[in-house]
Amino acid sequence: DELERRLVREGRDHGIAVRKRIVERLDDVSLGGLRLLEVFLVGIRFALGCRAEHVVPEGDVSELTGVRPDLGRRAVAVVGVGHLGRHHARILSSMPGITLSGIVDTNRERAEELAREFGSVAVDTAGAIEGLNLAVVATPTESHFEIAQGLIASGVHVLVEKPITQTLEQADALIEAARGRGVVLAVGHSERFNPAVIAARPYIKDPRFIEVHRLGTQVGRSLDIDVVLDLMIHDLDMILSTVPSEVDS
């Protein structure tokens, strides 16, 4: 009985400590987007044949971001500056070695407003930017394939917001195009880099049962895709990145 009580007590204390560490990270959830972009840039660095040493960033961010690539100064564009695109523009405009060379949006007034805020310029198409190296595509999903395909064909490294495309066939076509052109194609699964997820992952050893609840109100965006591709895809990606197993069915 005493042994059982001690094990329960130790398990409870361990659980409290883990939860405390996770909750402490919840205030930093916006850093998930920063981590995502930095991992994208590291991939580009290797694709460009740069040296593989990692540079640890300064300040408290280092624990969450891990590495910061030395790419030299690179020109980047953000295509689509709605809810998520604005955050991409904000983060990229503050990253060392990056020049936010253009913002593209069908709402020209919105593009110009954010260009002023983040020290960039509004352009009609990313192709109008001379020397463009990288692009973030954060438009509605229905336009991802066409935009990303054109950028890849031009030799531009691309980060596409999730879901990558509307169909599996389109996704496969982009992957093949990027492989053939020798550019990096990445997808914005930012929840994988959520500080709370990062804090919890070391404690997840061999999960046997996972139950996910994602609740929220309708926010009036991402209406061109269903709830699986818009929200559940985050949970599926976190599970797949945590559990080393192929999907059986």
Side-chain angles (χ1 to χ4, degrees):
D1 289 345
E2 177 57 32
L3 175 61
E4 182 177 350
R5 284 194 294 272
R6 182 171 64 83
L7 291 175
V8 170
R9 184 169 61 253
E10 290 179 354
R12 180 196 62 210
D13 292 344
H14 178 69
I16 291 173
V18 171
R19 286 196 298 274
K20 181 175 184 294
R21 185 179 178 202
I22 292 173
V23 169
E24 287 172 349
R25 300 297 180 89
L26 290 177
D27 290 336
D28 299 321
V29 292
S30 63
L31 291 174
L34 174 61
R35 172 63 174 168
L36 169 66
L37 287 167
E38 291 189 334
V39 169
F40 173 51
L41 294 175
V42 168
I44 294 168
R45 179 184 181 182
F46 292 140
L48 293 173
C50 299
R51 293 187 304 166
E53 291 86 5
H54 288 168
V55 180
V56 178
E58 304 80 14
D60 296 336
V61 177
S62 61
E63 184 183 355
L64 297 175
T65 60
V67 294
R68 182 163 290 169
D70 179 12
L71 289 165
R73 184 153 292 278
R74 299 286 166 179
V76 59
V78 177
V79 184
V81 283
H83 175 74
L84 291 176
R86 181 189 183 282
H87 290 299
H88 282 294
R90 173 179 59 81
I91 293 171
L92 286 165
S93 69
S94 66
M95 294 182 75
I98 293 295
T99 298
L100 183 57
S101 298
I103 291 177
V104 183
D105 199 277
T106 54
N107 183 337
R108 181 73 181 200
E109 184 178 343
R110 167 78 170 175
E112 291 177 348
E113 174 190 348
L114 293 184
R116 287 192 297 271
E117 182 177 355
F118 300 123
S120 185
V121 294
V123 294
D124 293 329
T125 66
I129 302 172
E130 185 177 352
L132 182 64
N133 305 111
L134 332 168
V136 174
V137 178
T139 59
T141 304
E142 60 188 4
S143 61
H144 282 185
F145 178 71
E146 181 180 356
I147 295 172
Q149 186 180 50
L151 290 165
I152 290 170
S154 299
V156 176
H157 303 285
V158 179
L159 170 65
V160 186
E161 260 304 337
K162 58 82 193 169
I164 180 172
T165 55
Q166 283 189 312
T167 69
L168 180 60
E169 291 75 20
Q170 288 177 337
D172 287 339
L174 286 186
I175 292 170
E176 286 303 312
R179 183 178 290 121
R181 198 65 174 80
V183 299
V184 173
L185 172 64
V187 185
H189 290 294
S190 57
E191 284 299 310
R192 187 182 296 195
F193 306 106
N194 185 315
V197 175
I198 293 174
R201 186 165 286 139
Y203 301 97
I204 303 174
K205 302 302 182 183
D206 185 24
R208 300 302 178 89
F209 176 79
I210 299 175
E211 183 175 359
V212 177
H213 295 271
R214 184 177 285 270
L215 306 175
T217 57
Q218 174 57 258
V219 294
R221 57 184 175 86
S222 299
L223 300 179
D224 58 328
I225 52 175
D226 60 26
V227 69
V228 173
L229 288 179
D230 183 32
L231 297 177
M232 186 189 290
I233 195 170
H234 281 306
D235 306 312
L236 295 175
D237 179 67
M238 283 190 289
I239 292 170
L240 290 173
S241 68
T242 301
V243 181
S245 172
E246 295 293 329
V247 177
D248 290 332
S249 60

